[in-house]
Each structure stands twice: as C-alpha cells, then as structure tokens.
Amino acid sequence: MSRRPSAPDRVSIDVLRQRAAGLWTALPPQVAELGELFASAGHELALVGGPVRDAFLGRSSADLDFTTSASPDETERLLKRWTSATWDMGRAFGTIGGRRGDVVAEITTYRADEYDGATRKPTVSFGDSLEGDLARRDFTVNAMAVSLPSLTFVDPFGGLEDLAGGLLRTPIEPAVSFGDDPLRMMRAARFASQLGFEIEPATFAAMHEMAERIEIVSAERVRDELTKLLLGADVRAGLTALVDSGIADVILPELPALKLEVDEHHHHKDVYEHTLTVIDQAIDLETDADGAVPGPDLILRLAALMHDIGKPPTKRNEPGGAVSFHHHEIVGAKMTTKRLKALRFDKETTKAVNHLVSLHLRFHGYVDARWSDSAVRRYVTDAGDQLERLHRLTRADVTTRNRRKAERLAFAYDDLEHRIAELREQEEIDAIRPDLDGTQIMEILGIKPGREVGQAYKHLLELRMEHGPLGPERAEAELREWWAAQAD
C-alpha cells in the first residue's frame, strides 16, 4: 500500500543553501559550457524557475529553463554552436530549445509583457534585465535564478525565505499578477497540493476577489492545472484552496455544492468534508508501481472527487427528519460526464470515472445480504477493467465514526474480495463469455448471422452468469431448448 507523500520539511535557509550548492556544482558540464558561450558573446544567461526551486528542495532535473539578454535569433545562433539539435519553441515568445546529450535546455529572452485584461495572451515585449524578467513570474519561489557561468544566486523578491517558510507569494502585487494571468490563481492551489505550501494571506485574498477572472482561461489549461493538483501530495489542501477562494464555483461548481447544510437532527454529515476524506483514503489505498493501482492514479482520484456530486440534486427530506439521496450515483455519473467533457478530459478517462461513480454504491447490497455466486459474477463483469479501482473507491467511501459499522463494512468487503478470488480459481470471471460463441450457435441451430444469433448469445451469457461454466454439452442442450421455445 502506498502512502501520500508528506509535504517538504520546513528547514532553515542555511540548509537550503547547502542543498543547492551541491547541485550547482553537480550541474552537467554542458550547462557550464553554455554559460561560457553566452558570456563570451557578451550576453547574460541564468537558470530560472522550477529547476532552481527544486534544487533547494534537493531535487534535480535534466530539463532546464534559462533566461537570457540575447534575442531569439542570437540565442539560436549560439545554441547551434553548442549543439546541432535545436528547435524553435516559439520565436515570437522568445523561446528556443536545444538538446545536448541528456541535457535539454529551453532558453527564453528576458520578457516584459503587457496584458490587455481580456485574455491570457500577452502583448509580447522583450525586457532588458534579469530582475524585470523575474518580476513577471507567478510566485517568489519561482522567481529565483542562478547566473551562469558564475553560479551567482539572484533572489530579488525573497523567494528563498518563502521557500524555507513554505509560503506562496507573488513577486508583485497579487491583483496585478493575477490580472495579467488568472491561471496563476490555479497554480497557487496546485502548488499547495504539490509542495504542501501555504498561500500567503494577501495572495489568497486576491484569489478570492478575482476568482471569476478564471473564466477567461481555456478549459484545457484549467484541466491541466486541476490534473496536476489531483496528482499532488496534498490534494485536500489544493481543493480547499479552490473552494475557499471561490475558484471552484467557476471551474468545478459541483464540489462547493457538496457543502450541504446539516439538518437539525444531524442525520447526515457534510458531504463536502466526506468527499475530501474519501479522496485522502483513496490515495492511501493506491499501490506501488508494481501493484494493481499504482499511485498517483488520476482516474481513482477523480472518481473519489466526483462520487457524491449527485447528492445535492437528489436530496430529499423524509418524514421523521431523515434525509435521502435516492439514485444519486446515477445522477452523479451523468453530472460527472458533463463536467469532465466541459473540462476537455479525454474520452477514456471520462468513461472510466463515470463508470466508477455509477457503481460506487453497488457493494452496499452485499452488506445487507451475502450475494450468490451469480451476483458476484455480475459485480465483476459490470466493473470490468475498473474492478481494482472500484475496490479502493468503495473502501475509501467508508468514513463513518461508528467503529462497529466501519468494521462490519470492512469485513463484508473482505468477504466479497475473498469470494471473487475463490471464483477466479474455479473459473474465468474477469471476461465472462458464454460457453458457445456466435459461430457455434449458428452451426448448431443452422441459422445465418442475424438478430437471433445475438438473442441466443445473450441467453447463454445469462445462464453462464447464473450457473457458472456449463460445458459444451449442457450449453448446447440449453441452446436447443431455448430455440425450441422460440418456435412455440
């Protein structure tokens, strides 16, 4: 069983500097050569952004981001002296790429963009200083640089101090930063999940004030940030930031809608808090790389996120103060598909998450009465290739504080999984098929391809579900008996 990665330990600035110093000196020699090349041509070159931040966190990367005083044309000319493998990553935006051995370098000319406020697309203009370039970056922890080839650390906005304190803060006024690029607000939530950082109060206040600005961001960009958030170490923190800031109201309104009022008799809990707990528990049930559901698993986490979104529209106050959510899994599955399509998730992911949401309550019938073998077969068949994820989603959905009830549910699911394992030893239940295929059915009945073949196949499949493997002789007898009945 895997465990959610813990947030980075808070350490002193001195410790961070010691970590990074080792990585600076261990930079590939190709990087030093690149720095010398630009310096000899009279240009500045600096390593920037994520690679610098990650170095202080004790991580290294072969994909390196640089910024330079050189123009894109000059950068390309110099890169071609460093390697023959260069490419234009967006000359209009100032970025040229190159590879030498295992080192991939993306080099962007200093930027000083202006935004019109209506879109995220800037009016590209090139800057004249490293500090000016760093000022336009999203957060101070990403606005640090290392000048090459001198390896001089540049930190004009206190990013190292914020990194040590686990704080997300914009280099300039947050309202200006988020006004320039509203997607930065989602990145704040994403970094809260990925890095375990807290969002500085003034920065969070700007997110709350400007939440509706996220509407100008494309669905694809929102999807990518949400995906990275869900694959992070502290998903709860990231989702909480989206909900509390009001951004979720725009991009994922089904989540804050789960904050149902607790009825006066306290017969149901806050579904929003329940959902966050289910996500935590589902993550804890992910496996290592060689297990059934290697973490981080986007489909499982999306299913945990969406599994109860059908509750608000199906909520009913029953006589006696009880509350019901009849068929919320069916309603929720439809809502899930609609939302994931709106966010431009791919068809396979959308289909898988829909399937899990629609099935997440199926197991509760087993708790009430132990299933027959045929019911277990149907459970496995209906789950299909999502069975292992369904196991984890169902277990994660138990958040009751009643220890006896929790133990009863866990025992029942242990028993169901044991039953599935037993049936697997006796027969093939993961891809159940009738004992006779279509060709055999046509040969036995002397008929040609058509509707009758499909009906016969379905009949034999039902028998296979109900009784297990029949064997060819009994299957043929059952088929002939069924066919004779059709003629009556």
Side-chain angles (χ1 to χ4, degrees):
M1 179 183 297
S2 70
R3 287 290 167 189
R4 281 173 281 137
S6 59
D9 293 333
R10 302 290 175 247
V11 297
S12 70
I13 291 179
D14 288 341
V15 171
L16 291 177
R17 289 185 185 279
Q18 290 172 8
R19 284 181 183 172
L23 284 172
W24 302 152
T25 56
L27 281 171
Q30 297 98 315
V31 173
E33 293 174 20
L34 193 61
E36 295 284 359
L37 189 63
F38 274 73
S40 65
H43 295 297
E44 297 175 359
L45 182 72
L47 184 66
V48 292
V52 177
R53 179 200 68 220
D54 288 346
F56 284 108
L57 295 176
R59 308 166 185 169
S60 61
S61 172
D63 295 338
L64 304 175
D65 296 328
F66 299 88
T67 188
T68 182
S69 59
S71 70
D73 289 342
E74 291 170 319
T75 295
E76 184 177 46
R77 179 175 57 82
L78 291 169
L79 266 179
K80 286 183 175 179
R81 293 171 55 187
W82 182 70
T83 177
S84 59
T86 65
W87 55 88
D88 187 335
M89 301 188 65
R91 187 180 302 271
F93 295 93
T95 304
I96 306 295
R99 175 192 289 274
R100 184 169 169 187
D102 294 331
V103 177
V104 177
E106 296 180 5
I107 305 177
T108 303
T109 301
Y110 292 158
R111 295 271 291 273
D113 301 338
E114 294 182 358
Y115 293 79
D116 61 13
T119 70
R120 289 185 60 242
K121 296 180 180 179
T123 300
V124 178
S125 61
F126 297 127
D128 56 10
S129 71
L130 175 58
E131 182 171 336
D133 181 86
L134 294 176
R136 55 172 288 277
R137 296 178 181 268
D138 53 6
F139 302 105
T140 60
V141 295
N142 293 327
M144 301 181 290
V146 175
S147 291
L148 299 171
S150 65
L151 298 181
T152 302
F153 178 55
V154 181
D155 182 20
F157 303 103
L160 188 60
E161 184 176 348
D162 288 345
L163 192 66
L167 196 66
L168 285 173
R169 183 170 58 88
T170 55
I172 59 176
E173 285 295 320
V176 176
S177 180
F178 296 153
D180 286 346
D181 186 356
L183 189 62
R184 290 170 178 166
M185 297 187 291
M186 281 203 69
R187 283 204 288 269
R190 186 244 292 185
F191 285 130
S193 172
Q194 285 185 327
L195 301 175
F197 285 8
E198 295 181 7
I199 303 172
E200 181 260 342
T203 301
F204 188 81
M207 290 171 61
H208 188 273
E209 180 70 22
M210 305 178 70
E212 291 187 359
R213 288 276 294 158
I214 204 71
E215 290 179 339
I216 72 170
V217 180
S218 71
E220 290 81 2
R221 292 282 189 174
V222 169
R223 174 204 62 208
D224 290 347
E225 287 298 326
L226 180 61
T227 295
K228 292 173 183 177
L229 184 159
L230 289 173
L231 296 178
D234 190 351
V235 176
R236 175 186 283 264
L239 292 175
T240 299
L242 290 181
V243 172
D244 291 351
S245 67
I247 294 172
D249 290 328
V250 181
I251 66 165
L252 192 65
E254 296 83 359
L255 182 58
L258 295 177
K259 288 190 170 185
L260 302 173
E261 293 183 9
V262 178
D263 67 279
E264 62 182 53
H265 301 288
H266 299 276
H267 285 165
H268 71 86
K269 53 198 158 192
D270 187 318
V271 183
Y272 169 71
E273 286 296 330
H274 163 76
T275 295
L276 295 181
T277 301
V278 172
I279 293 170
D280 287 342
Q281 295 183 167
I283 291 172
D284 283 341
L285 291 171
E286 291 173 343
T287 66
D288 295 329
D290 56 351
V293 183
D297 187 86
L298 179 62
I299 290 174
L300 176 61
R301 296 184 184 198
L302 276 170
L305 172 65
M306 308 297 279
H307 80 285
D308 270 351
I309 63 172
K311 279 190 171 180
T314 59
K315 178 184 175 184
R316 296 292 182 271
N317 294 315
E318 304 291 353
V323 175
S324 67
F325 306 99
H326 294 308
H327 305 301
H328 77 266
E329 74 280 13
I330 304 304
V331 173
K334 293 178 180 178
M335 293 171 64
T336 293
T337 295
K338 182 177 180 180
R339 177 53 53 195
L340 296 188
K341 283 184 176 179
L343 289 171
R344 304 292 192 272
F345 277 93
D346 63 273
K347 291 182 180 179
E348 289 301 316
T349 297
T350 301
K351 181 180 178 181
V353 177
N354 169 292
H355 197 49
L356 288 166
V357 172
S358 68
L359 290 177
H360 81 274
L361 286 185
R362 177 77 69 87
F363 159 72
H364 289 278
Y366 191 89
V367 181
D368 299 331
R370 197 170 189 262
W371 289 344
S372 63
D373 284 352
S374 64
V376 175
R377 292 187 191 99
R378 291 182 190 280
Y379 185 78
V380 174
T381 299
D382 289 348
D385 59 1
Q386 298 304 316
L387 180 62
E388 291 295 339
R389 289 190 177 105
L390 183 59
H391 285 333
R392 285 153 182 79
L393 177 61
T394 302
R395 289 184 181 276
D397 197 24
V398 178
T399 63
T400 179
R401 295 179 181 177
N402 184 321
R403 190 175 70 177
R404 182 174 297 179
K405 181 179 180 181
E407 289 176 348
R408 181 167 62 91
L409 289 167
F411 177 82
Y413 210 87
D414 287 344
D415 186 62
L416 174 58
E417 289 201 67
H418 179 68
R419 295 274 305 286
I420 292 172
E422 284 185 332
L423 284 174
R424 279 198 177 114
E425 291 181 358
Q426 301 167 18
E427 57 185 272
E428 176 58 58
I429 65 168
D430 292 299
I432 292 179
R433 296 180 177 84
D435 294 78
L436 303 173
D437 61 25
T439 300
Q440 292 170 310
I441 289 171
M442 290 187 288
E443 182 178 336
I444 291 169
L445 299 182
I447 58 177
K448 295 181 178 181
R451 185 169 57 90
E452 292 88 353
V453 178
Q455 291 174 333
Y457 188 93
K458 183 177 181 180
H459 174 69
L460 290 176
L461 181 59
E462 288 294 323
L463 291 175
R464 170 71 175 79
M465 287 284 190
E466 188 66 29
H467 303 290
L470 303 177
E473 291 185 2
R474 181 181 171 189
E476 180 176 342
E478 293 282 0
L479 175 62
R480 292 186 182 279
E481 182 179 343
W482 173 84
W483 183 244
Q486 305 310 300
D488 294 342

